[in-house]
Amino acid sequence: MPGAPEARADRRGGATASAYPAYVAGKLAGAVVSLFAVLVTSFFLFRIIPGDPVKAMTHGMPTSAEQLATLRRQFGLDLPMWRQFTDYCAGALTGDLGMSYQFRAPVGELIAQKLPATLLLTGVAVVIYSALGLWLGTRSAWRHGGTGDRLHTGVALTLWSVPSFWLGLLLIITFSVGVGPIPGMFPTGGMESGDETGVSYVLDVAHHMVLPVLTLVAVGYAQTLLVMRSSLLDEMGSDYLTTARAKGLRDDAVRRRHAVPNALLPTVTMVFINLGHVAAGSILVETVFSWPGLGGLFYQALSVPDLPLVQGLFVVFAGAMILMNLLADLLYPMLDPRVGR
């Protein structure tokens, strides 16, 4: 019968199945629009930075007007702005991000050279502080008001408000230079000593990573903890948790099987945004610790300004964030089927 429960269930299932492709198409269209906005922003934003990149390339050496004009023509800076923009967009869509002014090398190659160091540093940090923040945030919310909750929340709020570069400098002073009875135990910067191979090289890189990873973890775990704690507290008064307890489920099972999955949506968004930061790295932390990654490369490019390199890095950073947000949106219906309907 058309009004039977089975028929209604079939209609709901069919409606959900047809709604999800439309949901995915909408998110993909939004990502494409966002990426185009990034291309437009990256082109015009960095052209308001004061400074002449052609004069910066000469490093203050005496240069005639004819030589400067030749350099501008060589790098396409003598073309009308609309022509530069169309050439830039056409190149970006085909993977050609241009030629760096200061390094005289393709931007794509420079990014590929520095990307592994950034992925190593920020990837390790994101995995550690996401797991730590989720675990401590869940425990703090489930036992809110207790001593542990107040302690974790107070420490998290303090670390979240601390600038990462200031914390990095403080760690360098304390554990690299040494303060009082604390000896200098870690390098002040860089990724390697340069004279190690094999297992010794791996240990050397890990030794150099301790302080920058600790800086990123200290700030990142605080944000994850506070978001997870807030989301779980919103769920704790829900009727379905009371029903689960009335069925005889233990408190740990209620938290793990019912409360935490429903509190994960805001935290999943933040975790995926943090994964987007893996490609972007941390400009301030990499600069403070002289880490040879994309963050330090961006700082170098911005100081010239090296427009093709700055634009290329900006597109990579923003593109990684857009991709991670898209993946988070596509994951939502798996965590909460109501999202994709």
Side-chain angles (χ1 to χ4, degrees), residues 54-126:
V54 173
K55 290 184 178 180
M57 282 187 286
T58 62
H59 303 287
M61 295 183 295
T63 309
S64 65
E66 291 77 9
Q67 291 174 321
L68 292 177
T70 301
L71 286 174
R72 288 192 174 90
R73 184 168 58 255
Q74 179 181 349
F75 290 102
L77 296 175
D78 60 331
L79 297 174
M81 189 66 67
W82 67 268
R83 177 67 182 276
Q84 295 183 44
F85 176 68
T86 55
D87 290 347
Y88 164 69
C89 289
L93 293 176
T94 58
D96 181 9
L97 298 176
M99 185 74 66
S100 169
Y101 294 162
Q102 57 179 325
F103 296 104
R104 304 296 177 92
V107 171
E109 291 183 6
L110 293 173
I111 293 175
Q113 292 172 4
K114 300 292 185 179
L115 183 60
T118 290
L119 293 179
L120 176 64
L121 177 66
T122 54
V124 170
V126 166

Side-chain angles (χ1 to χ4, degrees), residues 244-256:
R245 292 189 180 96
K247 290 180 179 180
L249 291 179
R250 292 182 301 175
D251 198 55
D252 287 344
V254 172
R255 181 185 71 241
R256 185 178 62 256

Side-chain angles (χ1 to χ4, degrees), residues 120-140:
L120 176 64
L121 177 66
T122 54
V124 170
V126 166
V127 170
I128 293 174
Y129 71 64
S130 295
L132 185 63
L134 287 172
W135 179 60
L136 291 178
T138 301
R139 292 177 62 86
S140 294

